[in-house]
Amino acid sequence: MPLNIDAVFEPLEHADIRLVFAYRGAVPESSHRFDLMVSFYTWWWVEHGPARIEIDHRWITLEPGAVVLFPAGGRKHHQLGPETRLLSAGFQACWPGGRPCLALGRPLVLPGSEAGELRRPALALCRLLDSDPAAIESPGFPPFEPDLARACRARAAFLEFVGTLFRWAQDRGVGLDRQTTGDARLDGILARLAASPRAGPLPYDAWEKTFGCSRSQLDRLAAARLGATLRSCRDRLLLDAIRRDLHAGDATLKEIAARYAFADPAHFSRWVRRQTGVPPGDLATAGAI
């Protein structure tokens, strides 16, 4: 039988999988001590220490060669030194409703001997991006002249890294989340939140009229199917949209605040700082370590 190409690539048509940053090198002094909520996945290979991270209120010291995968939408708390060198990549991987593709609730830490296959595509990606320590403060693709061939190679290296990482995580007990929650009402709400994330109270009254579920029913559904509240899902989607707009640099803070229905720039600034620990002006590069 001929291979059904559409079926092979169908999951990629629905998933939002994109690179946030990738680099290999020393860590800027401004990021030696870090305690933020980060909306995307971060992967580390510790090439040289020291490096300490907090998991479940307990500090863990990472030996050179250790590998860490930080979950999306979680708190990232680390302490690094001036000698620390990392091979690192940050990426988004979520379904249309904003649900992360990997069902990872806490950082996954393993020795490098269990993740050697991840090093090669990560290094290839960094080489294609020409990443170096000076690029850490401006994560993502460094400025360069448009080059379709190079862009294709970088995209291929990135997807090879993510595909290898997903298989590696699955082999170690991390599940791949499904595209749907299994409940059409909850899927509909998540799709609306992803299409138009906005600040303020969630529209439970409108949802009740549309989907026939009360607030308490929806909250129970979210807890059972998502393991999270609808507000936390909205906040993750909203934070990711704001981060992208800030990184694009084509709108003022006042314009971004209005775009996402914040009462005023002060309200916007307080919300971002409460969510991440940093002001909006620092959010574009926050977590890019």
Side-chain angles (χ1 to χ4, degrees), residues 95-118:
W95 297 115
R99 295 168 55 243
C101 293
L102 278 177
L104 182 67
R106 61 199 295 273
L108 180 63
V109 181
L110 290 169
S113 58
E114 295 193 33
E117 72 270 30
L118 284 164

Side-chain angles (χ1 to χ4, degrees), residues 3 18 20 49 70 73 79 91 111 136 147 149 164 167 198 203 206 210 228 277 288:
L3 182 65
R18 52 190 160 80
V20 178
F70 295 93
Q79 295 178 355
F91 64 96
I136 297 173
D147 182 334
T164 304
R167 187 184 68 245
R198 294 169 61 84
T210 303

Side-chain angles (χ1 to χ4, degrees), residues 188-217:
I189 288 170
L190 290 174
R192 283 163 170 76
L193 289 175
S196 182
R198 294 169 61 84
L202 295 178
Y204 280 101
D205 290 344
W207 290 343
E208 183 171 2
K209 292 177 182 177
T210 303
F211 300 103
C213 284
S214 67
R215 176 171 183 158
S216 59
Q217 289 174 310

Side-chain angles (χ1 to χ4, degrees), residues 26-34 78 80-82 136-137 289:
V27 177
E29 185 177 355
S30 60
S31 296
H32 286 176
R33 293 181 177 271
F34 197 85
H78 71 235
L80 308 174
I136 297 173
E137 297 289 1
I289 294 301

Side-chain angles (χ1 to χ4, degrees), residues 59-140:
W59 283 96
I60 295 174
T61 299
L62 304 175
E63 299 296 329
V67 175
V68 187
L69 177 61
F70 295 93
R75 177 171 169 262
K76 188 163 173 272
H77 194 185
H78 71 235
Q79 295 178 355
L80 308 174
E83 306 88 7
T84 304
R85 291 181 59 87
L86 301 175
L87 174 61
S88 180
F91 64 96
Q92 182 65 275
C94 62
W95 297 115
R99 295 168 55 243
C101 293
L102 278 177
L104 182 67
R106 61 199 295 273
L108 180 63
V109 181
L110 290 169
S113 58
E114 295 193 33
E117 72 270 30
L118 284 164
R119 185 177 174 83
R120 182 184 60 80
L123 285 171
L125 177 61
C126 287
R127 283 195 294 269
L128 284 162
L129 297 177
D130 288 342
S131 71
D132 57 51
I136 297 173
E137 297 289 1
S138 299

Side-chain angles (χ1 to χ4, degrees), residues 36 269 272-283 286:
L36 290 179
S269 181
V272 169
R273 189 181 284 275
R274 186 167 63 247
Q275 292 289 323
T276 68
V278 298
D282 295 341
L283 183 59

Side-chain angles (χ1 to χ4, degrees), residues 8-61:
V8 171
F9 288 101
E10 189 268 343
L12 278 178
E13 296 296 321
H14 298 283
D16 176 13
I17 300 179
R18 52 190 160 80
L19 182 66
V20 178
F21 66 87
Y23 75 93
R24 181 189 187 191
V27 177
E29 185 177 355
S30 60
S31 296
H32 286 176
R33 293 181 177 271
F34 197 85
D35 187 4
L36 290 179
M37 296 293 292
V38 179
S39 60
F40 48 83
Y41 294 100
T42 308
W43 175 85
W44 284 0
W45 181 298
V46 180
E47 295 196 328
H48 193 275
R52 300 176 72 225
I53 64 172
E54 186 186 12
I55 302 178
D56 297 334
H57 308 291
R58 184 166 61 93
W59 283 96
I60 295 174
T61 299

